[in-house]
C-alpha cells in the first residue's frame, strides 16, 4: 500500500510468568505473536515486539522462596519440603546451583537474602525463557518489568488521568464470583468503571488492604504503552484471559481519550496426542510439558507450522505422529516438499 498507511504497532505476547521455563501453553501465543509481527513488518509497518515481565507480587515471592529452600538443600543438606505454593520442578535446582556457583553467600535468613536472591533468580529464569524463545526462532525487542512500572508510581499517574475523565470512582463492589469469596470484604475502594465499555462488572483497582490489584498495575503498564504513541496496540492472550479483554481494552480507550486502540487476540489451548492418545511428556518441569521437551521431539519449523495450522481462537490438537510423518498426510512435510 501507499506509505501513508504504514503504522506503528506494539505487539505484546508470551509474557509468561518468570517463575519457570516456557511450557506448551505459551508456545502457541509465542508463534502467533511472532508471525503476526513478521507479517506486519513485511508490509512495511514498524513493529515493537514486547514482553511484560510479571516480576511483582506473591508468585514471585514463592518462586524465590523455592530457590532459597533448594539452596539450603544443596548447601546445608536440609530437606526441601514441598508446600502448597512452592515450585517443585527440577529447574529450580538448576537455578539454585547457578547462584551457588556464582556467589559464595550465607543464606541464613530468607528475608535478609531476599532482594539479592530475587534479582539472581529472575535473571536466570528470564534467561531460560529467552533461550526457549530463541529455539523457536523468536526474539523480543522490548522487555518491560511490572516492578519498574510500580516503582515509577505509574499507577497513580494512570488513575489521576482516569479520574479526570470520570472513569474511576470510590465505591463498593459485589464480591467476585468464585472461590475467593472468603477473603472478600465490603470495603470502599477505587473502582474502574469498565461496565461503560461493555464489561459485565466494574473492576477493583485496590485489594482489601488498599494495595493495588494486578489489574491496576496492568492498567498502569498500558498507560505507559499509550504514552509511547503507537498507532495500535495488540495483546496476544491465553485462553484463560478471555474475561479480561473488555476491561483492558476499555482502559486503553479511557487512558488515551479514544486515540489508541488496543486489540486482544486469544489463543486457545493446545492438546498433545501421540498415536491418537492424549500425551503427557516429561515430569521434570513439575506438572507441565516444556517447550524444551517439545523441541527434543519436533523441530522448530514444524512446531511453528502446526501452531498456525488452525485459527488461534479454536483449540488445537497437536499429534506427534502426524508431525513426524514423511508423507502427504503431514501438512508440514507437504508444504516443505512443495517449497
Amino acid at each position: 500500500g501507499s506509505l501513508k498507511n504504514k503504522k506503528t504497532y506494539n505487539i505484546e505476547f508470551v509474557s509468561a510468568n518468570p517463575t519457570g521455563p516456557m511450557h506448551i501453553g505459551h508456545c502457541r501465543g509465542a508463534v502467533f505473536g511472532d508471525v503476526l509481527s513478521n507479517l506486519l513488518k513485511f508490509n512495511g509497518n514498524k513493529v515493537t515486539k514486547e514482553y511484560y515481565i510479571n516480576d511483582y507480587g506473591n508468585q514471585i515471592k514463592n518462586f524465590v522462596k523455592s530457590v532459597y529452600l533448594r539452596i539450603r538443600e544443596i548447601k546445608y543438606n536440609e530437606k526441601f519440603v514441598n508446600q502448597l505454593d512452592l515450585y517443585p520442578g527440577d529447574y529450580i535446582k538448576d537455578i539454585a546451583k547457578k547462584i551457588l556457583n556464582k556467589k559464595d553467600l550465607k543464606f541464613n535468613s530468607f528475608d535478609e537474602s531476599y532482594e539479592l536472591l530475587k534479582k539472581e533468580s529472575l535473571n536466570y529464569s528470564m534467561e531460560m525463557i529467552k533461550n526457549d524463545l530463541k529455539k523457536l526462532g523468536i526474539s523480543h525487542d522490548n522487555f518491560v518489568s511490572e516492578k519498574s512500572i510500580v516503582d515509577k508510581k505509574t499507577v497513580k499517574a494512570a488513575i489521576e488521568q482516569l479520574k479526570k475523565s470520570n472513569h474511576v470512582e470510590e465505591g463498593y463492589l459485589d464480591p467476585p464470583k468464585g472461590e475467593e469469596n472468603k477473603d472478600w470484604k465490603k470495603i470502599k475502594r477505587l473502582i474502574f468503571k469498565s461496565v461503560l465499555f461493555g464489561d459485565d462488572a466494574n473492576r477493583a483497582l485496590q485489594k482489601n488492604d488498599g494495595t493495588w490489584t494486578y489489574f491496576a498495575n496492568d492498567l498502569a503498564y498500558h498507560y505507559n504503552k499509550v504514552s509511547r504513541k503507537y498507532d495500535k496496540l495488540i495483546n496476544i492472550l491465553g485462553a484463560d484471559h478471555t474475561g479480561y479483554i473488555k476491561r483492558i481494552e476499555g482502559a486503553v480507550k479511557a487512558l488515551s481519550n479514544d486515540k489508541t486502540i488496543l486489540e486482544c487476540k486469544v489463543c486457545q489451548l493446545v492438546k498433545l496426542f501421540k498415536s491418537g492418545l492424549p500425551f503427557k511428556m516429561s515430569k521434570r518441569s513439575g506438572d507441565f510439558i516444556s517447550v524444551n521437551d517439545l523441541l527434543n521431539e519436533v523441530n522448530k519449523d514444524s512446531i511453528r507450522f502446526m501452531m498456525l495450522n488452525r485459527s488461534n481462537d479454536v483449540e488445537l490438537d497437536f499429534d506427534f505422529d502426524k508431525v513426524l510423518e514423511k508423507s502427504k498426510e503431514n501438512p508440514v512435510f507437504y508444504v516443505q516438499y512443495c517449497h
Side-chain angles (χ1 to χ4, degrees):
S2 68
L3 277 173
K4 64 176 184 293
N5 290 335
K6 306 287 183 248
K7 287 191 164 66
T8 57
Y9 288 85
N10 177 300
I11 303 187
E12 185 215 323
F13 61 109
V14 188
S15 297
N17 282 342
T19 51
M22 278 178 63
H23 56 72
I24 183 96
H26 304 123
C27 189
R28 192 176 186 186
V31 173
F32 181 66
D34 193 48
V35 170
L36 185 60
S37 303
N38 292 344
L39 277 170
L40 287 165
K41 273 187 194 163
F42 182 77
N43 286 315
N45 301 287
K46 274 197 74 161
V47 178
T48 301
K49 298 196 270 185
E50 187 146 300
Y51 188 117
Y52 182 48
I53 307 172
N54 301 124
D55 53 358
Y56 187 84
N58 253 344
Q59 89 276 6
I60 293 298
K61 202 158 191 162
N62 296 334
F63 165 64
V64 179
K65 182 149 202 188
S66 308
V67 175
Y68 172 76
L69 292 172
R70 286 294 186 197
I71 284 176
R72 303 264 322 171
E73 181 180 54
I74 297 164
K75 206 173 155 121
Y76 305 114
N77 254 332
E78 281 178 14
K79 194 168 159 36
F80 178 87
V81 181
N82 187 22
Q83 296 151 347
L84 191 61
D85 295 328
L86 295 178
Y87 292 85
D90 275 2
Y91 64 89
I92 297 283
K93 293 180 192 170
D94 300 342
I95 293 174
K97 279 180 200 137
K98 282 181 174 162
I99 291 172
L100 276 173
N101 288 342
K102 195 172 157 185
K103 290 193 163 74
D104 189 34
L105 294 162
K106 299 233 180 312
F107 293 100
N108 296 332
S109 118
F110 177 59
D111 293 336
E112 275 169 40
S113 32
Y114 180 68
E115 283 308 319
L116 181 97
L117 255 188
K118 178 180 158 181
K119 188 169 161 259
E120 293 288 332
S121 304
L122 283 172
N123 267 346
Y124 285 121
S125 68
M126 280 312 297
E127 197 179 288
M128 210 159 38
I129 289 170
K130 285 176 187 174
N131 278 333
D132 287 343
L133 285 165
K134 196 169 146 194
K135 288 178 197 160
L136 286 169
I138 298 168
S139 66
H140 286 76
D141 306 308
N142 208 11
F143 290 84
V144 178
S145 130
E146 181 180 358
K147 188 178 181 299
S148 76
I149 294 282
V150 175
D151 289 349
K152 286 186 195 124
K153 310 225 181 328
T154 315
V155 184
K156 276 207 161 67
I159 285 170
E160 285 311 309
Q161 175 79 5
L162 291 174
K163 276 182 180 161
K164 278 183 213 149
S165 58
N166 202 18
H167 286 103
V168 169
E169 66 186 9
E170 286 221 4
Y172 299 98
L173 282 178
D174 295 331
K177 295 176 183 65
E179 68 281 1
E180 301 153 62
N181 281 358
K182 57 182 187 305
D183 299 332
W184 186 256
K185 296 183 176 71
K186 200 165 171 74
I187 293 173
K188 204 167 205 186
R189 62 186 89 215
L190 277 178
I191 292 164
F192 174 63
K193 303 182 194 173
S194 53
V195 168
L196 298 173
F197 300 96
D199 201 357
D200 51 12
N202 287 330
R203 302 295 174 175
L205 295 167
Q206 287 173 306
K207 298 180 195 163
N208 292 343
D209 61 3
T211 58
W212 299 122
T213 57
Y214 173 77
F215 173 56
N217 289 351
D218 205 25
L219 190 136
Y221 167 47
H222 283 79
Y223 184 51
N224 167 285
K225 279 194 203 179
V226 165
S227 73
R228 288 184 264 151
K229 300 267 187 279
Y230 293 98
D231 296 318
K232 190 160 184 191
L233 307 176
I234 297 176
N235 291 359
I236 314 292
L237 302 172
D240 50 345
H241 283 78
T242 313
Y244 195 72
I245 293 176
K246 289 262 198 312
R247 78 187 83 163
I248 200 67
E249 287 185 352
V252 167
K253 275 188 173 164
L255 287 164
S256 69
N257 296 324
D258 266 351
K259 288 189 181 59
T260 309
I261 298 291
L262 164 66
E263 193 182 332
C264 293
K265 301 257 183 217
V266 171
C267 284
Q268 287 299 336
L269 299 171
V270 178
K271 292 180 174 165
L272 293 180
F273 291 88
K274 201 161 195 174
S275 324
L277 297 168
F279 183 55
K280 299 262 184 287
M281 251 150 54
S282 102
K283 288 281 183 194
R284 178 182 144 68
S285 330
D287 56 355
F288 55 80
I289 294 168
S290 71
V291 165
N292 226 349
D293 295 334
L294 189 60
L295 282 156
N296 288 332
E297 303 264 336
V298 186
N299 66 37
K300 89 168 185 346
D301 288 349
S302 303
I303 293 173
R304 286 177 70 106
F305 185 92
M306 291 307 279
M307 290 294 165
L308 298 165
N309 204 18
R310 301 285 309 270
S311 167
N312 58 289
D313 46 17
V314 293
E315 285 196 356
L316 178 82
D317 292 347
F318 190 107
D319 194 316
F320 283 98
D321 299 341
K322 275 212 181 77
V323 179
L324 298 169
E325 212 172 80
K326 287 187 166 32
S327 78
K328 69 181 196 310
E329 294 306 304
N330 175 359
V332 182
F333 185 70
Y334 210 55
V335 166
Q336 286 176 332
Y337 173 68
C338 295
H339 182 65

